[in-house]
Amino acid sequence: MSDISAVVSEVSKLKQRLDQAQLSYRDASLKSRREIVILKRLITRLSVACRGLDEELDTKLTELRCELEQPKDISKLIPRLAIIERLVTRQAGITEKENLRIENQIHQSGETLKRVRGLPAQLKRDLRNLLNNTSTSLTHSHQRIIALVELYERSLKLLSVSTENVELKDMLDHDIQHQLTNELQHLISELDFDGESGDKLLTIRNRLLIGVPPQALLELALEVIRLVLDSTHQERRSSQKFLDGVNGDLATLQKTTNQYVGQSSALYEHRGGLNNELSTIVSTVKKGLNEHKNLETWRPQITELTKELQVLTDRNRALEKREKALIEQLSYNENKITTLFEQTQDYRQRLNDQERKMFLDHLTKVYNCAALNDRLEHEYRRWLRYQHPLCVALIDIDNFKEINDSYGHVAGDKALKIIARTIHQCLEETDFIARYKSDEFMIIMPDINEDNRTKSLNKIRETVAQLPFRFKEQNVSITISIGATLFEGNDTPADITERTSKALDNAKNSGRNRFIWIY
């Protein structure tokens, strides 16, 4: 009996060591997969950041991504990484030289514009400020180029107005015309628009190469600006469509992830069942050892128990394979979600940058009505698809007409700017604010629960009421009224606008400085 006990004890120790070895191997395998995922993520980000800069670099990055998908030793990819590092270093030098060339061209073009006669003082100050602001990056250089083109547009408009009785050729000498022609050609060459806008830009460039009279040159410059704006709008709409697709992919990944969680729970239950059966067999063995002094008479039962152990071992191995496959699927989903999230954030930032340039209210520096209509329609489509909570609120400044009448429109404009900035600071990054009318603002708050939206709107109302205004040596207290509602049922943007207006009227009729919901 003591021999059997020793055997059972040794088997138990060996089983524990086997389990520990399996856990160690699994940890090492998970760590290796995590490192591969991190490397893949780095290569993906590098590909996005460097895309289009150098054809050879794009090819090498694509090949490296393909290699990472193969089950190979990572150390064998070090030579490829060294090649990519050399290409990136070379591209950095090229970018630095290109930035310097652009900086020189901006300075040269600005100096040419400064020599144009008849420009107003404000435009000259804007031009001087632009030239004094040195570029710190290629992106900053592009922004300065856009600003310079805008100054050229303003100059051309002013010159066209001031030349009613003067021939245009007397206002612009041949050197300036030549400079403007070259700059327009260079701008068109730098643009990469597809479709009809791209074809029209190429046609304009061909005309510039042949040579055009001064009046036609001005018309072509304005046409180029219009085409750039139209193409930018088209790219923004394409980006919004891309975001909708990415959001759909995220929803699908979330659904499959939930399914994997369910599978993981089922595996956990199966593992628990195996452990219970194993415990039962161990108890049976211990009981048999105590009850049978002659082990030969107990051999048939031991044989059956051994078979059961073998079955349990096979089932356990099958469970381990399922767990391994599940872990790999979850790791793939995690990497996919991370990539999609980064792409979504990148496109969201690009859209925000475009909107801030084209859809800002000139006084309050929040979005205007055009931006509001566009965003409301976009959020409405998302609500139809996902049915997430979508809150819309309308804010009105109480007794704003009296502020204008008592302290002047300058004081009213100052109050509008401060209140708009305060409301914006109280909102989350995903929220949206626009100037709806002269003294009204509309905000859109997607994906927010009842408690948080109520707290947020009350915080806006209370914060504005505490702002310290002072006009004509007098301390002035300004309050706001808020009406809010939610998208429900068959609501459309028009229904929501009407309902928020009704809620706002109720808030103002209730004594002002109030916040009222209408469902």
Side-chain angles (χ1 to χ4, degrees), residues 225-236:
I225 294 173
R226 185 188 66 80
L227 291 172
V228 170
L229 291 176
D230 291 344
S231 299
T232 302
H233 293 164
Q234 180 62 36
E235 287 185 351
R236 184 176 59 82

Side-chain angles (χ1 to χ4, degrees), residues 456-517:
S456 180
L457 292 174
N458 273 321
K459 178 184 176 182
I460 292 173
R461 182 180 59 81
E462 295 168 358
T463 303
V464 171
Q466 296 173 2
L467 291 174
F469 291 99
R470 186 173 179 82
F471 305 129
K472 294 183 178 180
E473 304 302 324
Q474 296 183 27
N475 294 327
V476 180
S477 176
I478 299 179
T479 60
I480 59 174
S481 297
I482 305 176
T485 189
L486 288 173
F487 273 87
E488 293 181 342
N490 296 322
D491 280 339
T492 64
D495 298 328
I496 291 300
T497 301
E498 180 180 356
R499 202 153 67 232
T500 53
S501 298
K502 183 178 180 179
L504 179 61
D505 291 339
N506 291 343
K508 297 178 75 69
N509 294 334
S510 299
R512 305 183 187 277
N513 193 23
R514 300 294 177 88
F515 164 41
I516 289 183
W517 278 100

Side-chain angles (χ1 to χ4, degrees), residues 28-86:
S29 178
L30 287 174
K31 181 179 179 182
S32 177
R33 285 196 296 272
R34 283 197 298 268
E35 292 174 347
I36 294 176
V37 167
I38 292 173
L39 184 57
K40 290 180 180 179
R41 188 181 306 165
L42 174 62
I43 297 302
T44 300
R45 291 175 178 174
L46 187 60
S47 299
V48 173
C50 299
R51 185 176 300 157
L53 295 177
D54 181 79
E55 183 177 357
E56 183 180 3
L57 180 58
D58 289 345
T59 302
K60 294 299 182 182
L61 288 173
T62 302
E63 293 175 354
L64 183 58
R65 289 201 308 271
C66 294
E67 290 289 341
L68 287 173
E69 297 297 333
Q70 305 298 323
K72 295 183 178 180
D73 187 2
I74 298 298
S75 61
K76 295 181 179 180
L77 301 180
I78 291 178
R80 290 185 179 272
L81 291 174
I83 295 174
I84 292 175
E85 180 184 11
R86 186 171 63 254

Side-chain angles (χ1 to χ4, degrees), residues 208-240:
L208 293 172
L209 289 172
I210 298 174
V212 294
Q215 185 62 41
L217 178 61
L218 296 178
E219 294 174 355
L220 290 177
L222 294 177
E223 179 67 7
V224 168
I225 294 173
R226 185 188 66 80
L227 291 172
V228 170
L229 291 176
D230 291 344
S231 299
T232 302
H233 293 164
Q234 180 62 36
E235 287 185 351
R236 184 176 59 82
R237 288 191 291 269
S238 299
S239 297
Q240 289 177 337

Side-chain angles (χ1 to χ4, degrees), residues 181 185 204-212:
T181 301
Q185 293 177 16
I204 292 174
R205 185 173 184 272
N206 292 334
R207 290 184 60 186
L208 293 172
L209 289 172
I210 298 174
V212 294

Side-chain angles (χ1 to χ4, degrees), residues 7 22 106 118 126 134 165 202 204 243 245 288 296 308 316 325 345 377 402 413 418 421 455 486 495:
V7 170
Q22 289 176 338
I106 291 174
D126 293 343
T134 305
N165 300 318
L202 289 178
I204 292 174
L243 280 176
E296 288 298 325
E308 292 181 15
N316 184 60
Q345 291 297 98
E377 181 66 25
E402 295 181 6
D413 290 346
I418 294 175
R421 183 171 64 249
K455 288 181 180 179
L486 288 173
D495 298 328

Side-chain angles (χ1 to χ4, degrees), residues 332-364:
Y332 171 81
N333 274 11
E334 179 184 9
N335 185 39
K336 182 72 172 178
I337 290 173
T338 301
T339 302
L340 289 175
F341 177 79
E342 292 172 352
Q343 293 174 350
T344 302
Q345 291 297 98
D346 178 65
Y347 272 86
R348 182 185 295 275
Q349 184 62 45
R350 289 174 58 187
L351 287 176
N352 288 340
D353 292 342
Q354 290 179 357
E355 288 174 342
R356 290 186 183 279
K357 294 177 181 177
M358 295 181 290
F359 295 138
L360 285 185
D361 177 65
H362 71 281
L363 175 63
T364 61

